[in-house]
Amino acid sequence: MAMELCPSCRGQVVVDGSARASEIVECPECGSVLELVSTNPFALALAPDVAEDWGE
Amino acid sequence: MAMELCPSCRGQVVVDGSARASEIVECPECGSVLELVSTNPFALALAPDVAEDWGE
Amino acid sequence: MLTVIKCGGGAGQDPVHVSPDVAALTARGDRVLVLHGGSASVDHLAGRLGVPQRRLCTPSGTSSRYTDPATLEVLLLALAGQVKPMLLADLHRHGVAAIGLTGIDVGVLQARRRSVHTAELDGRRVVVRDDQTGTLTAVRTGPLHALMDAGLVPVLSPPAIAEDGLPVNVDADRAAAAVAVALGAENLIFLTGAPGLLADPDDETTVLAEHRLTDGGSRIAGGMAVKLKAAEVALRGGVGQVLIADGRVQGPVLRALGGLS
Amino acid sequence: MLTVIKCGGGAGQDPVHVSPDVAALTARGDRVLVLHGGSASVDHLAGRLGVPQRRLCTPSGTSSRYTDPATLEVLLLALAGQVKPMLLADLHRHGVAAIGLTGIDVGVLQARRRSVHTAELDGRRVVVRDDQTGTLTAVRTGPLHALMDAGLVPVLSPPAIAEDGLPVNVDADRAAAAVAVALGAENLIFLTGAPGLLADPDDETTVLAEHRLTDGGSRIAGGMAVKLKAAEVALRGGVGQVLIADGRVQGPVLRALGGLS
Ligand SMILES: [Zn+2]
Ligand SMILES: [Zn+2]
């Protein structure tokens, strides 16, 4: 478990200690979709604007 | 090390204890080319009449 | 008359059952193209090589093989280096002049590389950057026609080749449909590890006599849903008939076609 | 003008160096057939799969890969599932319409399976019963001509197919010579991991300007001896010229041919 700052609103984001790089987390304050780009140290970035679905 | 009987002349053939199946041994008495067809127990048979070389 | 046969892939399904049927069809002058998968071989070889196999899931419930670079390497090894040579040797023993290709050969299967996307992996939502997967954009029919003109039976499989000239995995069922459409095939036959289209995938007695493409709320999911989608694409693309048939029996192709007639 | 290029196999030799040359030759209307090996890939994959690699030796000092069934499987995986797709993708990126085959495809390389024989294995003389090796007996030229007529560059490799319809390993250099003879090639180029034919295999400065096939008591041994034997077979079989050239440089084929002229 770690507390990180949202890169968008600077709000507090809780990251599960078992989370892995590339995992998606959402900021509870501003709703931004964030990507855990590193786990050591924990680092969040805005997730790329990508499709969820296979696009079929 | 084991002493086996030559299947051709019934003479004594010494087989190295480290010998493996399919290994060729020659009978010191009659010169027959023998194949160690089994190592447990040791068993000798006349080797198939086959070419040594690649035939090129 | 051109028949595209999609086979292989499922465990417990021996792709070599197709050889006598291919021999019979070509003997009467038909053209045949075989498209094979080989999921079971990929999984088995991945296990031997210690490459973990995972699936990417979408919220809508579909899932696909997570083809990271190590898995793409295993996929090529298994499909091009194991399933295909076994199939080619068996066809050869049955007198069929078969020639193997992946989508890389002559760039026969062209795909658009899947861009960065999000999916569920091991229960977590992640950004997927290294999925070596693509969507078919074109089938180069010229070389395939040339091979068949020369009396050869193409034996094709994924991967395809992407716009960057590197291989990407594509779904074999969709590829079969795309190839059948592009070549104007009369018949497209999907050989499966089931007796047919099942209402309940766990109950082999629930074979459906009829299934309308427009049926909503179908229980049909997983691999069979992909086959149905591919069948729809093929039919809408002008393929004469699409048959989904049990590939575990002797003579599965002729059986599906109702004999040599 | 048909040029057969034998490449790949040796470690430190990247087979993809041939693509620009193949593109240049085909662009001017020449026909090209590439025949590749891939010993280094076979060895590496065998290591990953835990399949021990051993050599069979004869009293005369020649040695060959002991192709037991597990090794034959690895050989197919490596050549058809790894080396060949990499080569095909690279040729595709250079605009070459290349199509991959092993000797199994259309039964292009036919071999007589090696019978039971004796050899030295791990320093012991043994009866070898399971060596999946053969001697080439025929090259099916019809399909190869058909492919080239269709504007395709065949990319061929071992294994061959034996009289029992099962694959057997064959020497790639000898296969290249046999294919060049069967197709009536003007040029046969062996790309090697050396600057040329060396008087002393450990000294790259000892390139021989000339070597007569009739030279007795040659120090030339190992892989280069096999290449020389293959070259002799090719020349006696009517191939215009046989070149043994450094495959580690840029443009190795054009360089060996003395430019596009
Ligand atoms: Zn925020
Ligand atoms: Zn004796």
Side-chain angles (χ1 to χ4, degrees):
Chain A
M1 198 97 116
M3 296 292 271
E4 294 297 317
L5 287 187
C6 170
S8 182
C9 74
R10 316 302 292 167
Q12 296 273 6
V13 182
V14 177
V15 179
D16 188 334
S18 67
R20 294 181 311 204
S22 85
E23 192 160 330
I24 294 283
V25 289
E26 276 182 35
C27 172
E29 298 202 20
C30 71
S32 290
V33 179
L34 307 173
E35 178 185 358
L36 185 64
V37 290
S38 163
T39 55
N40 184 21
F42 278 103
L44 289 171
L46 282 171
D49 184 21
V50 292
E52 169 113 32
D53 230 325
W54 194 188
E56 296 287 350
Chain B
M1 197 98 115
M3 295 293 271
E4 295 297 318
L5 287 187
C6 170
S8 182
C9 74
R10 314 304 292 167
Q12 296 272 7
V13 182
V14 177
V15 179
D16 188 334
S18 67
R20 293 183 311 206
S22 85
E23 193 160 330
I24 295 284
V25 289
E26 276 182 34
C27 171
E29 298 200 22
C30 70
S32 290
V33 179
L34 308 172
E35 179 186 358
L36 186 64
V37 290
S38 162
T39 55
N40 184 19
F42 279 102
L44 289 171
L46 281 172
D49 184 21
V50 293
E52 170 114 32
D53 231 325
W54 194 186
E56 297 286 352
Chain C
M1 176 76 90
L2 169 63
T3 299
V4 172
I5 303 169
K6 161 65 176 52
C7 72
Q13 184 194 344
D14 192 352
V16 303
H17 277 170
V18 302
S19 298
D21 288 1
V22 175
L25 290 172
T26 53
R28 73 168 186 195
D30 278 17
R31 294 183 166 211
V32 179
L33 182 147
V34 176
L35 200 145
H36 70 86
S39 307
S41 296
V42 175
D43 290 342
H44 184 247
L45 189 60
R48 286 175 68 190
L49 288 167
V51 175
Q53 292 301 287
R54 297 182 289 174
R55 296 194 71 84
L56 295 173
C57 304
T58 64
S60 56
T62 66
S63 82
S64 62
R65 185 183 292 276
Y66 176 28
T67 312
D68 58 5
T71 292
L72 180 67
E73 187 197 9
V74 173
L75 185 128
L76 256 171
L77 287 169
L79 298 191
Q82 196 169 65
V83 176
K84 197 186 304 296
M86 275 174 50
L87 199 42
L88 290 169
D90 195 68
L91 286 161
H92 176 80
R93 288 192 292 273
H94 285 82
V96 177
I99 185 163
L101 304 88
T102 72
I104 302 170
D105 294 73
V106 212
V108 156
L109 298 179
Q110 312 226 330
R112 189 179 62 247
R113 180 179 288 280
R114 192 176 184 183
S115 57
V116 177
H117 62 281
T118 69
E120 201 178 292
L121 179 67
D122 302 335
R124 293 170 180 274
R125 198 169 150 222
V126 298
V127 178
V128 182
R129 298 176 195 280
D130 63 351
D131 192 23
Q132 309 295 309
T133 305
T135 314
L136 272 187
T137 51
V139 177
R140 287 195 61 196
T141 55
L144 294 175
H145 282 305
L147 296 178
M148 293 188 288
D149 287 347
L152 305 179
V153 171
V155 177
L156 183 58
S157 76
I161 195 147
E163 59 277 26
D164 55 11
L166 296 172
V168 286
N169 190 18
V170 291
D171 179 72
D173 288 330
R174 287 176 185 278
V179 168
V181 169
L183 293 175
E186 278 79 11
N187 303 311
L188 169 59
I189 304 178
F190 290 102
L191 296 178
T192 74
L197 186 57
L198 302 175
D200 176 353
D202 296 322
D203 183 353
E204 295 208 350
T205 66
T206 62
V207 177
L208 291 169
E210 187 173 324
H211 176 79
R212 296 190 168 276
L213 293 175
T214 50
D215 279 358
S218 170
R219 282 193 56 200
I220 294 158
M224 197 55 94
V226 175
K227 277 188 180 40
L228 278 180
K229 183 70 190 165
E232 182 180 347
V233 167
L235 289 169
R236 291 196 197 283
V239 174
Q241 63 173 341
V242 181
L243 303 164
I244 298 179
D246 196 338
R248 303 166 302 175
V249 300
Q250 291 294 320
V253 177
L254 295 183
R255 193 156 154 161
L257 289 171
L260 271 178
S261 68
Chain D
M1 177 76 90
L2 168 63
T3 298
V4 172
I5 303 169
K6 161 64 176 51
C7 72
Q13 185 194 343
D14 192 352
V16 303
H17 276 170
V18 300
S19 298
D21 289 1
V22 176
L25 290 172
T26 53
R28 74 167 185 194
D30 279 16
R31 295 183 165 211
V32 180
L33 181 146
V34 177
L35 199 145
H36 71 87
S39 307
S41 296
V42 174
D43 290 342
H44 184 247
L45 188 61
R48 286 175 68 190
L49 289 167
V51 176
Q53 292 301 287
R54 298 182 289 172
R55 295 194 72 84
L56 295 173
C57 304
T58 64
S60 56
T62 66
S63 82
S64 62
R65 185 183 292 276
Y66 177 27
T67 312
D68 58 5
T71 292
L72 180 67
E73 187 197 8
V74 173
L75 186 128
L76 256 172
L77 286 169
L79 298 191
Q82 196 170 64
V83 177
K84 198 186 304 296
M86 275 175 49
L87 198 43
L88 290 169
D90 194 70
L91 286 162
H92 176 80
R93 289 191 291 273
H94 286 82
V96 176
I99 184 162
L101 304 88
T102 71
I104 302 170
D105 295 73
V106 211
V108 156
L109 299 179
Q110 313 226 329
R112 188 179 61 248
R113 180 178 288 279
R114 193 174 185 185
S115 57
V116 177
H117 61 281
T118 70
E120 201 178 292
L121 180 67
D122 302 334
R124 294 169 179 275
R125 200 170 148 221
V126 298
V127 178
V128 182
R129 298 175 194 280
D130 63 351
D131 191 24
Q132 309 294 310
T133 306
T135 314
L136 272 187
T137 51
V139 177
R140 287 195 62 196
T141 55
L144 295 174
H145 282 305
L147 296 177
M148 293 188 289
D149 287 348
L152 305 179
V153 171
V155 177
L156 183 58
S157 76
I161 194 146
E163 60 277 25
D164 55 10
L166 296 171
V168 285
N169 190 17
V170 290
D171 179 73
D173 288 330
R174 289 177 184 277
V179 168
V181 168
L183 293 175
E186 278 79 11
N187 303 311
L188 168 60
I189 304 177
F190 290 102
L191 297 179
T192 73
L197 185 57
L198 303 176
D200 177 353
D202 297 323
D203 183 353
E204 294 209 351
T205 67
T206 62
V207 177
L208 290 169
E210 188 173 323
H211 176 79
R212 296 189 168 278
L213 293 176
T214 51
D215 279 358
S218 171
R219 281 193 56 199
I220 294 157
M224 197 55 92
V226 175
K227 277 188 178 45
L228 278 180
K229 182 70 190 165
E232 182 180 346
V233 168
L235 289 169
R236 291 196 196 283
V239 174
Q241 62 173 341
V242 181
L243 303 164
I244 298 180
D246 197 339
R248 302 166 303 176
V249 300
Q250 292 293 320
V253 177
L254 295 183
R255 193 153 152 163
L257 288 171
L260 271 178
S261 68

